[in-house]
Amino acid sequence: MLERVRYEGAYPTLERADEAVQSVLAALGRQLVGDERVDLAACLPIEAALALTAQIPALTPLTGWEFVKDFAQHYGSTPATARWNVGAVLAAVSRLAGPELIDRIIGRLPSGYALLFGKAELPQPRYRSGTA
């Protein structure tokens, strides 16, 4: 996983990739609850799973953009750098977890996470009563 994140994020060292993995998964662990949290942890290497599950979930989950802004503020980076780190880690997580679990995770989180996981975020169709 670290080698994939190092490649995806163009990090100069595995240590820098590990820092990104630990920080992004800790932040995600504050957003994710329930079976999706447990199932994702089971797909990850032990160190990554511990970073995810050691966090107490937030009472109010953040949207994808709020997640990136909060991450940037918490780790003292710009929103662009935070988005880069989050994208690099979650792309690797997506490959490990597979599309079915990632779709379940995205479905449980507020809007804006699909793009962070490297997927298109398509709006759900809204039907008016009386029409198909």
Side-chain angles (χ1 to χ4, degrees):
M1 178 179 183
L2 286 180
E3 190 58 48
R4 166 91 46 198
V5 171
R6 189 185 71 72
Y7 177 78
E8 292 283 338
Y11 299 114
T13 65
L14 283 177
E15 291 78 19
R16 180 62 190 99
D18 186 47
E19 290 173 15
V21 168
Q22 296 297 316
S23 58
V24 170
L25 290 179
L28 184 62
R30 291 188 291 276
Q31 301 302 309
L32 197 55
V33 298
D35 290 341
E36 288 75 20
R37 178 182 170 110
V38 172
D39 293 346
L40 180 58
C43 296
L44 300 174
I46 189 72
E47 297 85 5
L50 290 173
L52 177 80
T53 59
Q55 305 304 309
I56 297 171
L59 295 175
T60 306
L62 302 172
T63 65
W65 174 237
E66 292 168 338
F67 177 79
V68 170
K69 288 192 317 185
D70 183 68
F71 184 87
Q73 183 177 16
H74 190 270
Y75 292 98
S77 67
T78 66
T81 300
R83 173 62 178 91
W84 183 267
N85 290 332
V86 168
V89 172
L90 295 185
V93 167
S94 291
R95 285 187 188 87
L96 290 171
E100 184 179 307
L101 177 55
I102 295 302
D103 287 345
R104 283 179 32 221
I105 289 169
I106 291 168
R108 296 275 299 198
L109 293 168
S111 68
Y113 283 86
L115 290 175
L116 299 178
F117 280 98
K119 298 183 72 129
E121 184 152 7
L122 302 175
Q124 295 296 317
R126 297 179 188 251
Y127 298 103
R128 291 181 286 204
S129 58
T131 62

